[in-house]
Amino acid sequence: MLGLLHLLCALPVLAFPMHLLGREANASDPLTAFNSIPAVLPPLPYTYDALEPIISEDIMRIHHDKHHAAYVANFNVAAHNATVALEQGNVLEVVRLTSALSFNGGGHILHSLFWQNLAPANAFSVSPAAGGVFPSSGRLADQVERDYDNLKRLVSTMQQFGGAVQGSGWVWLVWNRQNHALEVISTQNQNLPSGAQNRTAYLDAIPAVFNWEEGERRLLAELNGDEWW
Ligand SMILES: *[C@@H]1O[C@H](CO)[C@@H](O)[C@H](O)[C@H]1NC(C)=O
Ligand SMILES: *[C@@H]1O[C@H](CO)[C@@H](O)[C@H](O)[C@H]1NC(C)=O
Ligand SMILES: *[C@@H]1O[C@H](CO)[C@@H](O)[C@H](O)[C@H]1NC(C)=O
């Protein structure tokens, strides 16, 4: 229905949703700025056409200016109403609002992180990070070699998870604290509208704009014990 990005699979995200709510908002930190009420639509960290030809300007405008903006606006209405209902002691209304809060709040959080997960391909002048460029050495490179042998196997694992998602969902690269290893997981999320037109093509193309530098920054923060979100 609406275009390729609806799937929003294949996220180089090193993250732990359970820690989400414990982190305070910091307006100048793009990774925690989402955690404030009222919610605010964050600007893209690059221009709308910066990811072309992998993701078109139109798709970016639809997903940022329309979909993400709608999650933010709808979350704010639900949060306001929930605040009123809590003050009134209206249990039925509070419970009724939880689905709107998680649907729109989830969409807002996931998209806020997703914009940071990508970077223009081979565009050092546009951004300090170059999309699709995997570091040749360092903690992330070492760990990928340990857990997946090589980048190609990691990416193809992420693509397999993405292809297997029913409807819409997300693929995550996470740090497993118990096993001390990188792990690929997927989540199904009704918060995100479906409508991928060619998932295979999207999963083939998207690694070209993965922001691996951002992935490494999050891995180091995680290993350092920093609650980065
Ligand atoms: C907020 O984030 C900025 C940018 O990451 C950082 O420099 C600053 O120290 C943070 N402020 C607080 C209070 O954590
Ligand atoms: C929020 O409250 C307004 C005013 O009572 C109501 O019109 C609106 O439908 C409510 N929205 C949600 C999502 O509950
Ligand atoms: C989807 O993309 C794949 C890989 O790029 C391509 O081989 C296939 O023909 C495309 N399918 C459709 C229906 O466009």
Side-chain angles (χ1 to χ4, degrees), residues 58-72:
D58 275 2
I59 293 283
M60 292 301 282
R61 286 192 185 279
I62 288 169
H63 285 268
H64 182 268
D65 297 3
K66 292 203 173 143
H67 298 328
H68 191 168
Y71 288 128
V72 168

Side-chain angles (χ1 to χ4, degrees), residues 37-57:
I37 296 176
V40 177
L41 179 67
L44 286 180
Y46 29 69
T47 59
Y48 287 95
D49 63 357
L51 304 180
E52 287 192 335
I54 309 295
I55 303 177
S56 74
E57 177 173 352

Side-chain angles (χ1 to χ4, degrees), residues 150-162 184 207:
N150 54 55
L151 178 64
K152 205 173 156 201
R153 243 192 94 217
L154 169 61
V155 168
S156 89
T157 303
M158 294 179 80
Q159 288 166 334
Q160 276 164 27
F161 272 72
V184 175

